[in-house]
mmCIF file with all atom_site columns, all heavy atoms in Angstrom:
data_model
loop_
_atom_site.group_PDB
_atom_site.id
_atom_site.type_symbol
_atom_site.label_atom_id
_atom_site.label_alt_id
_atom_site.label_comp_id
_atom_site.label_asym_id
_atom_site.label_entity_id
_atom_site.label_seq_id
_atom_site.pdbx_PDB_ins_code
_atom_site.Cartn_x
_atom_site.Cartn_y
_atom_site.Cartn_z
_atom_site.occupancy
_atom_site.B_iso_or_equiv
_atom_site.pdbx_formal_charge
_atom_site.auth_seq_id
_atom_site.auth_comp_id
_atom_site.auth_asym_id
_atom_site.auth_atom_id
_atom_site.pdbx_PDB_model_num
ATOM 1  N N   . VAL A 1 52 ? -48.598 49.500 8.342  1.00 94.00 ? 162 VAL A N   1
ATOM 2  C CA  . VAL A 1 52 ? -49.460 49.493 7.159  1.00 94.00 ? 162 VAL A CA  1
ATOM 3  C C   . VAL A 1 52 ? -49.960 48.069 6.966  1.00 94.00 ? 162 VAL A C   1
ATOM 4  O O   . VAL A 1 52 ? -49.180 47.136 6.811  1.00 94.00 ? 162 VAL A O   1
ATOM 5  C CB  . VAL A 1 52 ? -48.702 49.949 5.893  1.00 94.00 ? 162 VAL A CB  1
ATOM 6  C CG1 . VAL A 1 52 ? -49.595 49.843 4.666  1.00 94.00 ? 162 VAL A CG1 1
ATOM 7  C CG2 . VAL A 1 52 ? -48.187 51.364 6.068  1.00 94.00 ? 162 VAL A CG2 1
ATOM 8  N N   . GLU A 1 53 ? -51.274 47.905 7.039  1.00 92.00 ? 163 GLU A N   1
ATOM 9  C CA  . GLU A 1 53 ? -51.916 46.618 6.808  1.00 92.00 ? 163 GLU A CA  1
ATOM 10 C C   . GLU A 1 53 ? -52.953 46.802 5.716  1.00 92.00 ? 163 GLU A C   1
ATOM 11 O O   . GLU A 1 53 ? -53.351 47.922 5.408  1.00 92.00 ? 163 GLU A O   1
ATOM 12 C CB  . GLU A 1 53 ? -52.619 46.122 8.072  1.00 92.00 ? 163 GLU A CB  1
ATOM 13 C CG  . GLU A 1 53 ? -51.688 45.668 9.161  1.00 92.00 ? 163 GLU A CG  1
ATOM 14 C CD  . GLU A 1 53 ? -52.452 45.026 10.298 1.00 92.00 ? 163 GLU A CD  1
ATOM 15 O OE1 . GLU A 1 53 ? -53.149 44.011 10.057 1.00 92.00 ? 163 GLU A OE1 1
ATOM 16 O OE2 . GLU A 1 53 ? -52.348 45.537 11.417 1.00 92.00 ? 163 GLU A OE2 1
ATOM 17 N N   . GLU A 1 54 ? -53.413 45.696 5.199  1.00 88.00 ? 164 GLU A N   1
ATOM 18 C CA  . GLU A 1 54 ? -54.463 45.754 4.184  1.00 88.00 ? 164 GLU A CA  1
ATOM 19 C C   . GLU A 1 54 ? -55.700 46.417 4.780  1.00 88.00 ? 164 GLU A C   1
ATOM 20 O O   . GLU A 1 54 ? -56.243 45.975 5.782  1.00 88.00 ? 164 GLU A O   1
ATOM 21 C CB  . GLU A 1 54 ? -54.802 44.336 3.718  1.00 88.00 ? 164 GLU A CB  1
ATOM 22 C CG  . GLU A 1 54 ? -55.607 44.289 2.461  1.00 88.00 ? 164 GLU A CG  1
ATOM 23 C CD  . GLU A 1 54 ? -55.755 42.874 1.950  1.00 88.00 ? 164 GLU A CD  1
ATOM 24 O OE1 . GLU A 1 54 ? -54.750 42.162 1.888  1.00 88.00 ? 164 GLU A OE1 1
ATOM 25 O OE2 . GLU A 1 54 ? -56.905 42.508 1.638  1.00 88.00 ? 164 GLU A OE2 1
ATOM 26 N N   . GLY A 1 55 ? -56.107 47.520 4.191  1.00 84.00 ? 165 GLY A N   1
ATOM 27 C CA  . GLY A 1 55 ? -57.312 48.197 4.632  1.00 84.00 ? 165 GLY A CA  1
ATOM 28 C C   . GLY A 1 55 ? -57.134 49.213 5.744  1.00 84.00 ? 165 GLY A C   1
ATOM 29 O O   . GLY A 1 55 ? -58.059 49.955 6.045  1.00 84.00 ? 165 GLY A O   1
ATOM 30 N N   . LYS A 1 56 ? -55.967 49.233 6.392  1.00 91.00 ? 166 LYS A N   1
ATOM 31 C CA  . LYS A 1 56 ? -55.776 50.231 7.447  1.00 91.00 ? 166 LYS A CA  1
ATOM 32 C C   . LYS A 1 56 ? -54.287 50.491 7.667  1.00 91.00 ? 166 LYS A C   1
ATOM 33 O O   . LYS A 1 56 ? -53.445 49.653 7.385  1.00 91.00 ? 166 LYS A O   1
ATOM 34 C CB  . LYS A 1 56 ? -56.430 49.796 8.759  1.00 91.00 ? 166 LYS A CB  1
ATOM 35 C CG  . LYS A 1 56 ? -55.795 48.575 9.409  1.00 91.00 ? 166 LYS A CG  1
ATOM 36 C CD  . LYS A 1 56 ? -56.479 48.243 10.711 1.00 91.00 ? 166 LYS A CD  1
ATOM 37 C CE  . LYS A 1 56 ? -55.807 47.010 11.331 1.00 91.00 ? 166 LYS A CE  1
ATOM 38 N NZ  . LYS A 1 56 ? -56.327 46.698 12.630 1.00 91.00 ? 166 LYS A NZ  1
ATOM 39 N N   . SER A 1 57 ? -54.021 51.659 8.167  1.00 94.00 ? 167 SER A N   1
ATOM 40 C CA  . SER A 1 57 ? -52.654 52.012 8.522  1.00 94.00 ? 167 SER A CA  1
ATOM 41 C C   . SER A 1 57 ? -52.711 53.033 9.646  1.00 94.00 ? 167 SER A C   1
ATOM 42 O O   . SER A 1 57 ? -53.743 53.668 9.858  1.00 94.00 ? 167 SER A O   1
ATOM 43 C CB  . SER A 1 57 ? -51.903 52.572 7.310  1.00 94.00 ? 167 SER A CB  1
ATOM 44 O OG  . SER A 1 57 ? -52.513 53.749 6.856  1.00 94.00 ? 167 SER A OG  1
ATOM 45 N N   . GLY A 1 58 ? -51.615 53.171 10.367 1.00 96.00 ? 168 GLY A N   1
ATOM 46 C CA  . GLY A 1 58 ? -51.618 54.155 11.433 1.00 96.00 ? 168 GLY A CA  1
ATOM 47 C C   . GLY A 1 58 ? -50.380 54.110 12.296 1.00 96.00 ? 168 GLY A C   1
ATOM 48 O O   . GLY A 1 58 ? -49.570 53.178 12.231 1.00 96.00 ? 168 GLY A O   1
ATOM 49 N N   . LEU A 1 59 ? -50.270 55.118 13.115 1.00 97.00 ? 169 LEU A N   1
ATOM 50 C CA  . LEU A 1 59 ? -49.170 55.274 14.050 1.00 97.00 ? 169 LEU A CA  1
ATOM 51 C C   . LEU A 1 59 ? -49.363 54.295 15.204 1.00 97.00 ? 169 LEU A C   1
ATOM 52 O O   . LEU A 1 59 ? -50.395 54.308 15.868 1.00 97.00 ? 169 LEU A O   1
ATOM 53 C CB  . LEU A 1 59 ? -49.160 56.722 14.559 1.00 97.00 ? 169 LEU A CB  1
ATOM 54 C CG  . LEU A 1 59 ? -48.009 57.183 15.402 1.00 97.00 ? 169 LEU A CG  1
ATOM 55 C CD1 . LEU A 1 59 ? -46.703 57.125 14.612 1.00 97.00 ? 169 LEU A CD1 1
ATOM 56 C CD2 . LEU A 1 59 ? -48.262 58.604 15.892 1.00 97.00 ? 169 LEU A CD2 1
ATOM 57 N N   . LEU A 1 60 ? -48.376 53.425 15.433 1.00 95.00 ? 170 LEU A N   1
ATOM 58 C CA  . LEU A 1 60 ? -48.465 52.478 16.539 1.00 95.00 ? 170 LEU A CA  1
ATOM 59 C C   . LEU A 1 60 ? -47.937 53.072 17.833 1.00 95.00 ? 170 LEU A C   1
ATOM 60 O O   . LEU A 1 60 ? -48.513 52.865 18.899 1.00 95.00 ? 170 LEU A O   1
ATOM 61 C CB  . LEU A 1 60 ? -47.672 51.203 16.231 1.00 95.00 ? 170 LEU A CB  1
ATOM 62 C CG  . LEU A 1 60 ? -48.216 50.303 15.142 1.00 95.00 ? 170 LEU A CG  1
ATOM 63 C CD1 . LEU A 1 60 ? -47.310 49.106 14.937 1.00 95.00 ? 170 LEU A CD1 1
ATOM 64 C CD2 . LEU A 1 60 ? -49.628 49.842 15.490 1.00 95.00 ? 170 LEU A CD2 1
ATOM 65 N N   . LYS A 1 61 ? -46.807 53.769 17.727 1.00 96.00 ? 171 LYS A N   1
ATOM 66 C CA  . LYS A 1 61 ? -46.234 54.396 18.920 1.00 96.00 ? 171 LYS A CA  1
ATOM 67 C C   . LYS A 1 61 ? -45.235 55.455 18.500 1.00 96.00 ? 171 LYS A C   1
ATOM 68 O O   . LYS A 1 61 ? -44.772 55.477 17.362 1.00 96.00 ? 171 LYS A O   1
ATOM 69 C CB  . LYS A 1 61 ? -45.601 53.366 19.844 1.00 96.00 ? 171 LYS A CB  1
ATOM 70 C CG  . LYS A 1 61 ? -44.247 52.846 19.415 1.00 96.00 ? 171 LYS A CG  1
ATOM 71 C CD  . LYS A 1 61 ? -43.698 51.830 20.393 1.00 96.00 ? 171 LYS A CD  1
ATOM 72 C CE  . LYS A 1 61 ? -42.364 52.243 20.930 1.00 96.00 ? 171 LYS A CE  1
ATOM 73 N NZ  . LYS A 1 61 ? -41.820 51.370 21.918 1.00 96.00 ? 171 LYS A NZ  1
ATOM 74 N N   . TYR A 1 62 ? -44.906 56.318 19.440 1.00 98.00 ? 172 TYR A N   1
ATOM 75 C CA  . TYR A 1 62 ? -43.877 57.321 19.218 1.00 98.00 ? 172 TYR A CA  1
ATOM 76 C C   . TYR A 1 62 ? -43.131 57.552 20.525 1.00 98.00 ? 172 TYR A C   1
ATOM 77 O O   . TYR A 1 62 ? -43.656 57.267 21.613 1.00 98.00 ? 172 TYR A O   1
ATOM 78 C CB  . TYR A 1 62 ? -44.484 58.645 18.705 1.00 98.00 ? 172 TYR A CB  1
ATOM 79 C CG  . TYR A 1 62 ? -45.334 59.341 19.731 1.00 98.00 ? 172 TYR A CG  1
ATOM 80 C CD1 . TYR A 1 62 ? -44.769 60.220 20.648 1.00 98.00 ? 172 TYR A CD1 1
ATOM 81 C CD2 . TYR A 1 62 ? -46.702 59.099 19.822 1.00 98.00 ? 172 TYR A CD2 1
ATOM 82 C CE1 . TYR A 1 62 ? -45.541 60.829 21.621 1.00 98.00 ? 172 TYR A CE1 1
ATOM 83 C CE2 . TYR A 1 62 ? -47.483 59.708 20.779 1.00 98.00 ? 172 TYR A CE2 1
ATOM 84 C CZ  . TYR A 1 62 ? -46.892 60.579 21.673 1.00 98.00 ? 172 TYR A CZ  1
ATOM 85 O OH  . TYR A 1 62 ? -47.658 61.184 22.636 1.00 98.00 ? 172 TYR A OH  1
ATOM 86 N N   . GLU A 1 63 ? -41.906 58.017 20.408 1.00 97.00 ? 173 GLU A N   1
ATOM 87 C CA  . GLU A 1 63 ? -41.090 58.355 21.559 1.00 97.00 ? 173 GLU A CA  1
ATOM 88 C C   . GLU A 1 63 ? -40.309 59.625 21.222 1.00 97.00 ? 173 GLU A C   1
ATOM 89 O O   . GLU A 1 63 ? -39.923 59.829 20.075 1.00 97.00 ? 173 GLU A O   1
ATOM 90 C CB  . GLU A 1 63 ? -40.083 57.238 21.868 1.00 97.00 ? 173 GLU A CB  1
ATOM 91 C CG  . GLU A 1 63 ? -40.732 55.908 22.155 1.00 97.00 ? 173 GLU A CG  1
ATOM 92 C CD  . GLU A 1 63 ? -39.771 54.734 22.089 1.00 97.00 ? 173 GLU A CD  1
ATOM 93 O OE1 . GLU A 1 63 ? -38.736 54.826 21.389 1.00 97.00 ? 173 GLU A OE1 1
ATOM 94 O OE2 . GLU A 1 63 ? -40.061 53.733 22.751 1.00 97.00 ? 173 GLU A OE2 1
#
Side-chain angles (χ1 to χ4, degrees):
V162 176
E163 288 188 60
E164 194 172 313
K166 66 178 180 175
S167 62
L169 188 63
L170 291 179
K171 77 180 237 177
Y172 68 87
E173 301 164 335

